[in-house]
C-alpha cells in the first residue's frame, strides 16, 4: 500500500512514536535503519509494520519484508519517508515494533560475568555509544538507573546501531542493582574522578558490575547509603577532571576484559 497523505492514520501513528508518552500508551516503538531493524528482529522483537520509500528497491529491505510476511508493509512517498526518518532516504526502512517484557529473569550470568550500569545518563548519544561498547566487550547485561534517557527513544536506538536489542538492557532502581549484585556475588565499582583506587589496581578480573554516571553529575551519591562497592578512578594527565561517560565506560570495560 502506498501512502501519499500526511493525514494517513498509520503515518501519523509512526510520527507520534517519537514521543515517550505515545510509546508508553501504544506499547510500540520505532526502529530506523536497515542494520537496526535486523538487530531488533534478531533480538526477538515482533514487528507491527514496516515503512519504506516508494522510490527505493533495496535487496536488504526486501529480505526483511519477505522474512516477516505477518507484518503490514507500507510504501511512503519520498517526502513522507524523509519526514519520518531522521536519516531520510539513507535510512531505507523504518519499523514499528511491539514492546516485550524484559526483567532480571532474562539475564544469564556466565562463569565470570561483567555488567555495566549507566546511572542517570541523560544524552541519547552517550547511552547509545555505551550500548555499542557493551556489545563489543560482550557484557552480560546493561542496567540503566536514575532519571536518565528513555531506553526506547529513537535517538538511543539509532546511536546504539541496534545493539540495544542484542543484550539484556534493563531499567532498574539503584536498590535493585545493589540487591542483584549481592545475591550474585558481583563486586560493585563506581567510576568517580576522585575515586580512591586506580582502575589498574582494582580487582576487575572478578565477577563485577561497573557503574558510570551522568555527564554533569557523575554517579549518584545515593549508592553510598548501602555501603557496598568501591570507588575507582581513571588516571588522567590533563587539566579536565572527567571524561565523557561513554569514553569512561569504554576504558573501564577494556580494563576489565584485559584483566
Amino acid at each position: 500500500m502506498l501512502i501519499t497523505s500526511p493525514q494517513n492514520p498509520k503515518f501519523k501513528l509512526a510520527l507520534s512514536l517519537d514521543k515517550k508518552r505515545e510509546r508508553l500508551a501504544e506499547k510500540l516503538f520505532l526502529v530506523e535503519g536497515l542494520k537496526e531493524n535486523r538487530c531488533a528482529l534478531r533480538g526477538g522483537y515482533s514487528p507491527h509494520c514496516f515503512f519504506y520509500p516508494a522510490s527505493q528497491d533495496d535487496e536488504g529491505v526486501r529480505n526483511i519484508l519477505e522474512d516477516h510476511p505477518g507484518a503490514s508493509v507500507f510504501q511512503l512517498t519520498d517526502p513522507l519517508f524523509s519526514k519520518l526518518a531522521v536519516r531520510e532516504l539513507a535510512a531505507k526502512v523504518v519499523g514499528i515494533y511491539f514492546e516485550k517484557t524484559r526483567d532480571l529473569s532474562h539475564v544469564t550470568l556466565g562463569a565470570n560475568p561483567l555488567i555495566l550500569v549507566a546511572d542517570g545518563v541523560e544524552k541519547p548519544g552517550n547511552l547509545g555509544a555505551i550500548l555499542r561498547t557493551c556489545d563489543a566487550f560482550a557484557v552480560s547485561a546493561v542496567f540503566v538507573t536514575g532519571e536518565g534517557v528513555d531506553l526506547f527513544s529513537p535517538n538511543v536506538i539509532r546511536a546504539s546501531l541496534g545493539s540495544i536489542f542484542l543484550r539484556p538492557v534493563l531499567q532498574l532502581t539503584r536498590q535493585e542493582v545493589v540487591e542483584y549484585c549481592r545475591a550474585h556475588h558481583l563486586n560493585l565499582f563506581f567510576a568517580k574522578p576522585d575515586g580512591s583506587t586506580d582502575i589498574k589496581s582494582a580487582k576487575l578480573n572478578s565477577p563485577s558490575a561497573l557503574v558510570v554516571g551522568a555527564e554533569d553529575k557523575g554517579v549518584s551519591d545515593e549508592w553510598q547509603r548501602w555501603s557496598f562497592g568501591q570507588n575507582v578512578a581513571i588516571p588522567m594527565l590533563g587539566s579536565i577532571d572527567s571524561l565523557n561517560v561513554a569514553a569512561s565506560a569504554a576504558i573501564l570495560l577494556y580494563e576489565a576484559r584485559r584483566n
Side-chain angles (χ1 to χ4, degrees):
M1 174 183 175
L2 175 63
I3 295 176
T4 60
S5 169
Q7 300 307 313
N8 179 278
K10 293 294 184 184
F11 179 72
K12 290 175 72 174
L13 169 65
L15 283 182
S16 75
L17 295 178
D18 187 55
K19 300 178 178 64
K20 181 179 180 179
R21 180 182 67 253
E22 298 300 325
R23 290 195 295 273
L24 292 174
E26 300 290 342
K27 299 189 184 310
L28 298 169
F29 63 92
L30 278 180
V31 178
E32 174 187 320
L34 190 56
K35 179 184 294 184
E36 292 80 353
N37 274 274
R38 284 174 176 155
C39 288
L41 295 167
R42 184 175 149 200
Y45 285 82
S46 299
H48 174 276
C49 64
F50 295 104
F51 299 89
Y52 70 100
S55 65
Q56 195 167 93
D57 181 25
D58 184 274
E59 182 179 0
V61 175
R62 289 199 309 274
N63 289 341
I64 285 178
L65 302 182
E66 290 169 2
D67 288 345
H68 296 83
S72 301
V73 177
F74 303 97
Q75 286 183 308
L76 297 178
T77 62
D78 286 2
L80 287 184
F81 188 85
S82 294
K83 188 174 182 180
L84 177 61
V86 171
R87 286 175 285 178
E88 301 185 348
L89 296 181
K92 298 185 178 181
V93 63
V94 172
I96 295 180
Y97 289 81
F98 294 99
E99 288 184 3
K100 69 174 183 177
T101 301
R102 300 199 298 183
D103 56 34
L104 288 169
S105 67
H106 293 87
V107 178
T108 301
L109 300 180
N112 196 26
L114 178 62
I115 287 173
L116 193 285
V117 182
D119 184 48
V121 175
E122 297 175 342
K123 295 180 180 178
N126 279 339
L127 183 57
I130 288 170
L131 294 171
R132 290 168 64 183
T133 301
C134 287
D135 183 64
F137 287 105
V139 302
S140 303
V142 182
F143 297 156
V144 179
T145 58
E147 298 298 321
V149 68
D150 173 28
L151 283 180
F152 289 96
S153 159
N155 294 329
V156 172
I157 294 171
R158 268 194 306 273
S160 78
L161 293 182
S163 59
I164 187 173
F165 305 118
L166 302 180
R167 300 192 177 277
V169 182
L170 309 179
Q171 191 100 38
L172 301 174
T173 67
R174 294 174 180 120
Q175 183 170 351
E176 285 173 329
V177 173
V178 170
E179 290 173 354
Y180 184 85
C181 289
R182 280 177 169 158
H184 292 84
H185 309 291
L186 299 173
N187 293 318
L188 199 54
F189 296 95
F190 305 103
K192 290 196 168 188
D194 59 352
S196 57
T197 303
D198 187 311
I199 59 167
K200 293 180 181 178
S201 304
K203 296 180 179 179
L204 296 178
N205 58 340
S206 59
S208 302
L210 311 177
V211 185
V212 295
E215 296 83 355
D216 55 343
K217 303 172 186 174
V219 174
S220 170
D221 291 337
E222 184 185 352
W223 295 94
Q224 305 304 320
R225 77 184 209 184
W226 290 287
S227 301
F228 178 57
Q230 180 180 7
N231 294 335
V232 296
I234 298 170
M236 289 177 284
L237 304 179
S239 302
I240 303 300
D241 66 354
S242 66
L243 292 168
N244 169 277
V245 63
S248 297
I251 292 170
L252 288 166
L253 291 172
Y254 172 82
E255 190 66 20
R257 286 305 187 208
R258 185 184 69 81
N259 279 307

